[in-house]
Amino acid sequence: MPVYHIVLFKLKQGVKPEQIAQMSTLAKGMVGQIPGLRKLDFGGPLPVTAGRGKGYDMGIVAILDKPDDVTVYAQHPAHQE
Amino acid sequence: MPVYHIVLFKLKQGVKPEQIAQMSTLAKGMVGQIPGLRKLDFGGPLPVTAGRGKGYDMGIVAILDKPDDVTVYAQHPAHQE
């Protein structure tokens, strides 16, 4: 049973666009490195819903093959970098 | 560009399993009724991550065809029920 692993972030003040781009590249780059990690998307909220995000302005949606893969994902070196 | 629409809930005390099952059926039933709504999943956190959910104990992950569909989704009668 595939699993959505959703992580919401509150970016620190002053984070630069190029830092966000690097985070996105690193995050998406985990696909293919971490067993069970099928797909990963990284991005901010749409303007139409940003106001209801309770301050969370960045998010990851990872799709993993099965619940046990969440632990594999969390402990993997590529994730811990 | 497909869009993830993620909604996290904090269930009120005393919500019964059958009420949750009904919510799930209604939510998933919106697929096919709301234009642009591709897929919708509804459920609670896994035990392995539940402790980091900041009290959010139920969530919806909807996949919509494009950003404009978020407004269509939000205003649709099937969603407002």
Side-chain angles (χ1 to χ4, degrees):
Chain A
M1 176 189 85
V3 176
Y4 283 115
H5 180 57
I6 297 163
V7 183
L8 304 181
F9 302 85
K10 292 180 181 180
L11 294 174
K12 287 180 188 151
Q13 290 283 336
V15 172
K16 299 187 181 68
E18 52 272 25
Q19 290 174 298
I20 294 172
Q22 189 189 13
M23 283 169 67
S24 178
T25 304
L26 282 171
K28 292 177 180 177
M30 293 192 286
V31 178
Q33 293 188 63
I34 300 179
L37 177 59
R38 245 184 230 194
K39 186 174 186 290
L40 187 144
D41 287 292
F42 177 98
L46 293 172
V48 65
T49 52
R52 297 175 55 201
K54 300 211 171 189
Y56 291 102
D57 46 16
M58 195 56 61
I60 281 182
V61 177
I63 301 178
L64 296 148
D65 288 337
K66 56 188 181 311
D68 292 347
D69 290 330
V70 174
T71 307
V72 173
Y73 169 86
Q75 295 171 352
H76 196 280
H79 176 258
Q80 309 229 334
E81 251 180 48
Chain B
M1 177 190 84
V3 175
Y4 283 116
H5 180 58
I6 297 164
V7 183
L8 304 181
F9 303 85
K10 292 181 180 179
L11 294 174
K12 287 180 187 151
Q13 290 284 338
V15 172
K16 298 186 181 67
E18 51 272 25
Q19 290 173 298
I20 295 172
Q22 188 188 13
M23 282 169 66
S24 178
T25 304
L26 283 171
K28 292 176 179 177
M30 293 193 286
V31 179
Q33 294 187 64
I34 300 179
L37 178 59
R38 239 184 237 194
K39 186 174 188 287
L40 187 144
D41 287 292
F42 177 97
L46 293 172
V48 65
T49 52
R52 297 174 56 200
K54 300 213 172 190
Y56 291 101
D57 46 17
M58 195 55 62
I60 282 181
V61 177
I63 301 179
L64 296 147
D65 288 337
K66 56 187 181 310
D68 292 348
D69 290 330
V70 174
T71 306
V72 173
Y73 170 85
Q75 295 171 352
H76 196 280
H79 177 258
Q80 308 227 335
E81 250 180 49

